[in-house]
Amino acid sequence: MFEEAQYFAPVTAQEDGSVVVELASSHPGFADPVYRARRNAIAGLAVGYRPGAPVPAAEYTEREHEVWALVARELGVKHAEYATAEYLHATRRLGLPQERIPQLEEVSELLEPLTGFRYVPAAGLVPLREFYGVLADGLFHSTQYIRHHSVPFYTPEPDVLHEVIGHANALASPRYARLYRAAGEAVRRVEGEEALEFVSKVFWFTLEFGVMREAGELKAYGAGILSSYGEIEEFRGMDIRELDLSAMGTTQYDITKYQDVLFRAESLQHLEDVVGGFWDTCDDDSIAKLVASGL
Ligand SMILES: [Fe+2]
């Protein structure tokens, strides 16, 4: 999930118990009453969800399954060229369905035996502390809706394709899953808002938009790149910088555009040493020093 409030359509519960997703007028599904109703119904599942219960199934339409099948197939082709070997290996281990949208409960059943992670539903934005904190418990907050069928290769917000193809495939790798947990433990440890934001930005520039050198080529492991049909073709041409905690934790980014500044790990081991090591040990004081050195 992305972490900025304006990226998510606001979700409101009405007095009569119904749930309304307020899509912006620029959203591809804004003028489609059938899509709007689907979004409201799916958000209602997450609003009604209680922790510990099975995740309610979203009854997807054929058209929605077709969007998944099309995008999953095309991304699969791109992954063979642009994704890290660790991500590709994890993808094969997880074995997500290609022709239909998997239910979140099904994703959990595939994922939990591999790395202990389970998916829980999110109607929209989840507060940073909650979203990251429960990663330490092996829980991942995920939206369930899918993008509008008129533009299958574009979404203005994180949908189930991003959450599952981007994140669940990575979470099927014990090494990436350990990094997600470490980010959660870091968020549980830090107290101030500045430190929380720093940890979340390091997450953004690594597990969402990280790239890595592998066998002399630049590969992507970040879920935001690996779930974006357009971005995956473009990332090698971006401003690629060395992995640097101070820079990652203080660089501003615009979530509404392709990410034009990316940080490159020299290997997975390098990522684990620098970023995993940071999340394993950081506290408010150590982050304050990194902020000061990044300014
Ligand atoms: Fe995400």
Side-chain angles (χ1 to χ4, degrees), residues 204-241:
W204 175 268
F205 283 113
T206 57
L207 296 174
E208 286 288 0
F209 285 94
V211 296
M212 185 180 290
R213 203 194 295 273
E214 191 175 273
E217 288 189 304
L218 195 64
K219 303 279 185 165
Y221 66 91
I225 297 177
L226 292 171
S227 62
S228 169
Y229 185 79
E231 217 146 357
I232 202 167
E233 287 278 4
E234 302 285 339
F235 74 89
R236 286 179 175 167
M238 298 304 180
D239 177 359
I240 308 288
R241 302 183 185 177

Side-chain angles (χ1 to χ4, degrees), residues 58 63 149 164 171 183 190 202 239 251 261 286 292-293:
R63 190 171 239 179
H149 57 84
V164 175
L171 284 165
V190 302
V202 173
D239 177 359
T251 297
V261 173
S286 69
S293 66

Side-chain angles (χ1 to χ4, degrees), residues 27 31 69 73 104 132 183 193-194 207 211 226 252 267 279 284:
H27 191 286
R73 182 169 62 243
L104 298 190
Y132 289 110
E193 290 307 303
E194 179 185 68
L207 296 174
V211 296
L226 292 171
Q252 298 299 323
S267 64
W279 281 330
D284 292 68

Side-chain angles (χ1 to χ4, degrees), residues 1-3 131 140 158 162-163 167 180 203-204 207-209 223-224 227:
M1 177 171 297
F2 295 90
E3 51 252 45
F131 174 75
F140 188 86
H162 166 74
E163 311 281 28
H167 287 293
Y180 278 77
F203 185 98
W204 175 268
L207 296 174
E208 286 288 0
F209 285 94
S227 62

Side-chain angles (χ1 to χ4, degrees), residues 149-182:
H149 57 84
S150 63
V151 281
F153 296 113
Y154 167 76
T155 175
E157 55 193 338
D159 66 349
V160 69
L161 272 159
H162 166 74
E163 311 281 28
V164 175
I165 291 184
H167 287 293
N169 281 324
L171 284 165
S173 151
R175 294 179 73 176
Y176 289 134
R178 197 197 152 298
L179 289 168
Y180 278 77
R181 279 185 193 269

